[in-house]
Amino acid sequence: GSVNHTPAQTGNGVYFQACCGNTNNAYYKFTGAAVGSVFNVNQGQISFYLKSRYSFAQRPSGARFAFDVRDNDPNNHLFFFHTLKTSGQLLLTYSVGGGAQFYYVPAGTEEAKFGNGVTMKVTIAWTGSQSRLFLNDALVQTSSYVKPTPNWTAASNFNLGAYEYLSFGGYNSLDDVIDEFTVSALPSGQDTTPPAVSISAPTGGAALTGTGITVSANATDNTAMASVQFKLDGTNLGNAVTGAGPLYSIAWNTTTAANGPHILTAIATDAAGNSAASAPINVTVNNPQPPVISGVSANPVTTSTATITWTTDKPSDSRVAYGLTSAYGSLTPLDTAMVTSHSIVISGLSPSTTYHYQVISKDAQGITGVSGNLTFTTGGAAGGGGGTLMIKGDATEVSGTTNGSLVTPNLAPSGFTGTVVSKGSGTVNYAAAQTGNGVYFQNCCGNTNNAYYKFAGAAVGSVFNINQGQISFYLKSRYSFAQRPSGARFAFDVRDNDPNNHLFYFHTLKTSGQLLLTYSVGGGAQFYYIPAGTEEAKFGNGVAIKVTITWNGAQSQLYLNDVLVQTASYVKPTPNWTAASNFNLGAYEYLNLGGYNGLDDIIDEFTVSAPSN
């Protein structure tokens, strides 16, 4: 440990090396009950200069203590000040008489305020109830605290340049330069009296609505007022109102606050930096609320129409905005009937096209509610290169969730229906997805207690065209990547007559710390790893990923969130579609033993169509 002297604000100052243990360090130490005659908990002022020996970019980690004062209790640090580089900012922590206070140097100004060779003047004043921090003689923070009753004894100590830890000595030595460390009484004539403040409007217990509610306070001071900051539930309500007063007011838009009880307060600050809080005022915000929209669904969807349904919590009118993008551009005629169950048919749509839509409902008071952006895809035109299928994955498509219940897709070739397979404790579940609800199945991974949808027969081949096509669906993860279980999770699987011939499928698999997507469209497995480190962002808990796979008989392409990520060549097989063919949604058909590797993520808007442009 070394004590070092170097030019500072006035002549030389001192710095100590090394920080941060007590084995090889240095500092100044003063002990005894006389420490209490220097550091008066009732009022006083400490002032010193700190000259940085580091650029902010090079500043080491760990606190650097300018000083530390303890009474008889080794845990009772009544006065202290230290700097700390934390989370890319410069934090100043201090106490004068009791209770730590924290001040962050404004982000981006650290180099100018305390860069290499820069001197910063620190002044802390206290009155027994409030402390004030000045940097370079400018007031930057005023704080209230509860004054303690110290016990000054022979065991009391004051360290300059370190922090006394229990009975182990000094730590976190100051390796910046400290100079002109001064403890004094408050300067004579300094104003230490806080203002008096009370809220004059609104009155306590008032019920408030609207956008222009006046919030006002009366504030006075023995010398000069500076400002009043209104607060709502402890958070600033607008900017501080400045001026000499005594009346201060703002206009409050109560629609920005939730309906229910709230607390208003006012913080008055005088020209010397003393501050005081008003008594709290309890008010209630009671603004009319827009209709709450739920259960939005597009069902059924044909090649040229879509029926949009939703519910509201109170009678409202009905309208739908729609278009090829989330900018919409088209509106259905307004249905003025005031209902809670809404249904609007959009017509004149183009085949094999994805549309964005948003539902709109206005109540009798003229307050409008809108849904989020949703999508649906119309069916393919006749002769468009194979059958077209859409399974939305919501409960409207099934007659029940028990074993053998009928599955009727939102769009499918005539007569193409499936059944719910539910064995043992297996369950079919619905949850919010990209468009309304999607479906997920439990349990993975055996065939004893699982569930999935199953479609069987030669008609499977009319949906999954080996020559060309496109499959698109959304997967919404129900796990963080760190929590994702082992084992493949199959979104879908398609076989022809041969129980080993899995012509079309897609599954996810966490393997070797990465997320692997495996798929086939027409023949031959393809593999794509999500870029390492992006798994949580791409498919973390609650994250929906759009999967699109296209094929043309020679090449397949994989898109994630409409971005092409892989192109692969394959050899097209010649399938044999018979009554033994099957298509599973949410499982993998293994030989003649049933479905395995059930999908416990949410699948939504599963669509098979001719390839889009």
Side-chain angles (χ1 to χ4, degrees):
S2 64
V3 178
N4 310 275
H5 301 281
T6 190
Q9 182 70 15
T10 303
N12 284 340
V14 64
Y15 67 94
F16 305 94
Q17 290 182 318
C19 177
C20 290
N22 188 42
T23 307
N24 296 295
N25 70 336
Y27 55 99
Y28 293 170
K29 179 171 181 174
F30 302 80
T31 61
V35 171
S37 68
V38 175
F39 295 92
N40 182 344
V41 296
N42 295 306
Q43 64 169 6
Q45 179 173 292
I46 295 172
S47 181
F48 54 91
Y49 293 92
L50 278 184
K51 183 177 179 180
S52 174
R53 294 180 58 246
Y54 303 98
S55 70
F56 183 66
Q58 296 170 333
R59 176 160 292 277
S61 61
R64 300 304 199 265
F65 272 80
F67 72 97
D68 176 56
V69 177
R70 296 187 334 194
D71 68 355
N72 185 62
D73 183 345
N75 288 305
N76 203 19
H77 298 267
L78 294 164
F79 298 83
F80 61 80
F81 180 95
H82 73 72
T83 63
L84 175 65
K85 182 178 180 179
T86 177
S87 301
Q89 286 191 259
L90 180 61
L91 172 63
L92 310 182
T93 304
Y94 60 97
S95 175
V96 281
Q101 310 296 338
F102 306 92
Y103 176 77
Y104 284 92
V105 171
T109 70
E110 298 88 355
E111 204 66 60
K113 295 282 190 185
F114 202 52
N116 190 23
V118 177
T119 298
M120 177 172 63
K121 182 180 180 182
V122 179
T123 303
I124 317 170
W126 66 99
T127 64
S129 60
Q130 281 192 329
S131 64
R132 289 179 288 176
L133 174 66
F134 299 81
L135 297 181
N136 298 325
D137 295 322
L139 178 65
V140 296
Q141 183 166 285
T142 300
S143 304
S144 298
Y145 66 94
V146 177
K147 182 182 71 173
T149 302
N151 180 21
W152 303 110
T153 71
S156 305
N157 68 267
F158 155 47
N159 295 346
L160 187 79
Y163 167 83
E164 194 89 1
Y165 178 63
L166 299 177
S167 59
F168 301 120
Y171 289 79
N172 297 94
S173 295
L174 180 70
D175 48 11
D176 293 306
V177 185
I178 191 168
D179 178 38
E180 308 300 298
F181 184 89
T182 306
V183 186
S184 63
L186 285 172
S188 62
Q190 181 168 323
D191 177 17
T192 61
T193 303
V197 58
S198 61
I199 292 180
S200 52
T203 58
L208 307 175
T209 62
T211 60
I213 299 300
T214 297
V215 181
S216 60
N218 285 300
T220 57
D221 186 65
N222 64 318
T223 56
M225 277 295 302
S227 66
V228 168
Q229 175 66 67
F230 293 98
K231 290 181 176 287
L232 177 68
D233 302 325
T235 301
N236 287 351
L237 185 61
N239 297 322
V241 183
T242 59
L247 181 64
Y248 298 82
S249 63
I250 61 169
W252 175 26
N253 178 3
T254 66
T255 64
T256 62
N259 277 355
H262 295 276
I263 299 174
L264 288 169
T265 52
I267 309 297
T269 303
D270 67 15
N274 302 299
S275 63
S278 71
I281 296 295
N282 295 294
V283 297
T284 301
V285 172
N286 188 24
N287 284 304
Q289 296 297 298
V292 176
I293 294 171
S294 61
V296 183
S297 177
N299 184 29
V301 179
T302 70
T303 57
S304 61
T305 65
T307 300
I308 312 300
T309 58
W310 69 98
T311 60
T312 53
D313 65 336
K314 55 183 172 180
S316 312
D317 62 20
S318 311
R319 201 168 206 178
V320 178
Y322 66 98
L324 298 179
T325 70
S326 57
Y328 310 119
S330 297
L331 280 169
T332 61
L334 177 65
D335 184 342
T336 58
M338 305 301 283
V339 295
T340 57
S341 295
H342 307 257
S343 180
I344 294 289
V345 177
I346 307 174
S347 58
L349 304 175
S350 299
S352 301
T353 302
T354 296
Y355 286 88
H356 294 253
Y357 72 100
Q358 179 182 66
V359 305
I360 306 165
S361 285
K362 182 171 62 178
D363 65 16
Q365 286 73 44
I367 303 174
T368 300
V370 296
S371 72
N373 178 61
L374 302 162
T375 62
F376 63 82
T377 302
T378 53
T388 299
L389 174 73
M390 174 182 274
I391 300 175
K392 295 185 68 62
D394 59 36
T396 64
E397 296 175 318
V398 297
S399 62
T401 56
T402 57
N403 190 55
S405 296
L406 185 66
V407 181
T408 304
N410 182 262
L411 187 70
S414 178
F416 189 79
T417 59
T419 57
V420 171
V421 177
S422 179
K423 297 186 177 181
S425 61
T427 60
V428 179
N429 310 276
Y430 301 98
Q434 183 70 15
T435 302
N437 284 341
V439 63
Y440 67 95
F441 305 95
Q442 290 180 319
N443 302 293
C444 176
C445 290
N447 187 45
T448 307
N449 295 294
N450 68 340
Y452 55 97
Y453 291 171
K454 179 170 182 174
F455 300 79
V460 170
S462 68
V463 173
F464 295 91
N465 184 342
I466 203 73
N467 295 305
Q468 64 171 5
Q470 175 174 298
I471 295 171
S472 180
F473 54 90
Y474 293 91
L475 278 184
K476 183 176 179 181
S477 174
R478 294 180 58 248
Y479 304 97
S480 69
F481 183 66
Q483 296 170 332
R484 178 160 290 278
S486 61
R489 300 304 199 265
F490 271 79
F492 71 98
D493 175 56
V494 177
R495 295 186 338 192
D496 68 356
N497 187 62
D498 183 344
N500 288 303
N501 204 17
H502 298 267
L503 295 165
F504 299 83
Y505 60 81
F506 179 95
H507 73 72
T508 63
L509 175 66
K510 182 178 180 179
T511 177
S512 302
Q514 286 191 259
L515 181 60
L516 172 63
L517 310 183
T518 304
Y519 60 98
S520 175
V521 282
Q526 310 296 341
F527 306 92
Y528 176 76
Y529 284 92
I530 297 289
T534 70
E535 297 88 355
E536 203 67 58
K538 296 282 190 183
F539 201 52
N541 190 24
V543 177
I545 188 170
K546 182 180 180 182
V547 179
T548 304
I549 316 170
T550 68
W551 66 98
N552 61 16
Q555 279 191 329
S556 64
Q557 293 177 306
L558 173 66
Y559 297 79
L560 297 180
N561 296 326
D562 297 321
V563 175
L564 178 65
V565 296
Q566 183 166 287
T567 299
S569 299
Y570 65 94
V571 177
K572 183 182 73 171
T574 302
N576 179 23
W577 303 109
T578 72
S581 303
N582 68 267
F583 154 47
N584 292 349
L585 187 80
Y588 168 83
E589 193 89 1
Y590 179 62
L591 299 177
N592 60 352
L593 304 177
Y596 288 77
N597 297 93
L599 181 69
D600 49 10
D601 293 307
I602 304 166
I603 190 167
D604 178 38
E605 307 299 297
F606 183 89
T607 305
V608 186
S609 63
S612 68
N613 291 329

